Amino acid sequence: MQPDQEPAADDTPVDVVVFAPTPTLTVTIEEVEGSPDIHLHAGGQGVWQARMANLLGSSVEYCALLSGETGQVIGHLLEDEGIRVRSVAGHAASSAYVHDRRGGGREEIAAAPGDRLSRHELDELHGLVLREGLIAKTAVLSGAPRDDAVPVDMYRRLASDLRSGGCRVIADLSGERLEAAISGGLALVKVADGELIASGRAESDDPDELVQGMRSMVADGAEVVVLTRGSRPALLLEGDSISEVRVPELQVVDEHGAGDSMTGAIASALAAGDTIQSAVVLGASAGANNVTRHGLGSGHADSIRRLAALIDVVPFEEGTQTGPVQQASPEDLARKAKTQ
């Protein structure tokens, strides 16, 4: 497939549409038995979300602008994973990075954030996402490696237009893009506590402050808010109800992509007709499972569903402080899973 051409591919409706304007070609260098082991993948926030939703059984369509050599490679890699690609014609370069992990961490060798999209590219991409999202009925709005890849207001317009057409819109964004999407109207927003504080909606990570910040998002246009808090239980605001989502703490291999795995799993579950609480539990399980792996947005569907059975959702009592969930060993989890 040539990414700048509208594919004459399968037009069967999908379960979830993911909008992330410029995905990333990732080159990762690892070491196996003293020799470099080089991995090539499609990456970036929207890709990890799409990958997780696809892993959990949803049919997924990825809408973006893919151009140049990197764009061609990204398109083929996504399709090889079973993710349908819809790209508009354009000339803006896709992003890419090279990371060296042979030392145990992530050393960035080189990174290209990609280009800003032109007016014509933006118009075509908006139309593409609107059309595909209205068909799928569930859409995820994600960011880009560079903040100015698309205008902030595009997120407001997409959220508003998709919602007006009966599409369930989920956002996993930050900064001005998040605020714009909320003002357009969202079925669900997933946000980290640090982002809530940075936005000025909360003054600190005090739980009561965070809850008030979540409620302000609802007042401004979000129906449901899911707030992640690192090692502390996530918070779920649905209607007037605030809940804690308590996940057994697993051994961390790589924390990158955990939030995106959570978002992808939530979208997959909601598209399948699950309740908000069930979807968030599955999302929390997918995020926790992801940190035990090197592959971002990856895992095993059966493992994720088994871990989900071990997650507790309890009412949140304002005025209380909650610490990390006690860490569970693999043996503890195995014993608990057998009783489910």
Side-chain angles (χ1 to χ4, degrees):
M1 183 199 74
Q2 294 296 324
D4 358 341
Q5 298 176 357
E6 183 70 19
D10 183 9
D11 286 325
T12 306
V14 297
D15 300 317
V16 178
V17 166
V18 175
F19 164 67
T22 54
T24 301
L25 179 64
T26 74
V27 182
T28 306
I29 308 169
E30 310 229 7
E31 186 171 312
V32 176
E33 297 180 350
S35 298
D37 186 28
I38 300 175
H39 299 265
L40 197 67
H41 295 287
Q45 182 185 29
V47 169
W48 300 326
Q49 293 163 351
R51 182 176 293 144
M52 180 54 67
N54 182 62
L55 172 73
L56 291 171
S58 294
S59 55
V60 183
E61 186 170 272
Y62 190 96
C63 294
L65 186 142
L66 302 177
S67 60
E69 295 177 350
T70 53
Q72 291 186 38
V73 175
I74 291 170
H76 288 300
L77 289 171
L78 287 173
E79 291 191 330
D80 286 346
E81 292 188 45
I83 297 169
R84 185 191 297 178
V85 177
R86 288 288 187 263
S87 174
V88 300
H91 301 287
S94 299
S95 68
Y97 69 64
V98 180
H99 284 181
D100 190 339
R101 295 183 49 162
R102 287 174 290 181
R106 283 181 177 269
E107 179 187 353
E108 185 173 273
I109 305 301
D115 296 334
R116 288 192 300 174
L117 277 65
S118 69
R119 181 185 60 80
H120 173 73
E121 292 165 348
L122 291 168
D123 286 346
E124 291 298 309
L125 190 53
H126 181 279
L128 171 66
V129 177
L130 180 61
R131 183 188 75 215
E132 300 302 318
L134 294 180
I135 295 172
K137 299 301 183 183
T138 299
V140 178
L141 304 183
S142 294
R146 59 181 296 166
D147 289 341
D148 61 350
V150 301
V152 169
D153 194 54
M154 185 171 184
Y155 287 98
R156 180 196 61 79
R157 292 192 297 119
L158 277 174
S160 179
D161 293 346
L162 287 166
R163 191 177 187 187
S164 295
C167 179
R168 177 190 297 107
V169 186
I170 299 166
D172 187 351
L173 297 161
S174 62
E176 294 178 315
R177 282 140 213 81
L178 174 60
E179 297 300 326
I182 291 173
S183 69
L186 297 170
L188 183 145
V189 58
K190 198 278 290 179
V191 63
D193 54 356
E195 176 55 39
L196 199 67
I197 295 169
S199 71
R201 290 182 180 270
E203 293 184 2
S204 71
D205 63 358
D206 176 82
D208 292 342
E209 284 281 340
L210 296 174
V211 167
Q212 290 306 311
M214 295 168 71
R215 286 183 172 143
S216 74
M217 287 184 164
V218 171
D220 288 345
E223 294 179 14
V224 175
V225 180
V226 179
L227 179 80
T228 57
R229 300 190 294 161
S231 61
R232 293 187 293 173
L235 299 180
L236 165 63
L237 172 57
E238 180 184 10
D240 294 327
S241 175
I242 300 281
S243 303
E244 283 187 355
V245 184
R246 298 181 174 178
V247 183
E249 188 176 352
L250 307 181
Q251 299 292 319
V252 176
V253 172
D254 190 342
E255 63 185 12
H256 292 84
D260 301 319
S261 294
M262 183 180 198
T263 302
I266 290 173
S268 175
L270 291 178
D274 287 3
T275 65
I276 292 291
Q277 181 170 302
S278 295
V280 172
V281 165
L282 187 67
S285 177
N289 184 79
N290 185 82
V291 303
T292 69
R293 303 169 56 84
H294 288 295
L296 305 186
S298 65
H300 295 287
D302 183 61
S303 297
I304 291 169
R305 297 190 189 281
R306 286 181 180 274
L307 178 59
L310 307 179
I311 292 174
D312 294 322
V313 180
V314 300
F316 172 75
E317 297 181 9
E318 296 188 50
T320 62
Q321 295 284 339
T322 55
V325 175
Q326 184 175 2
Q327 189 165 5
S329 70
E331 292 77 13
D332 293 334
L333 293 174
R335 282 194 297 269
K336 292 179 182 178
K338 287 179 181 179
T339 65
Q340 300 300 318

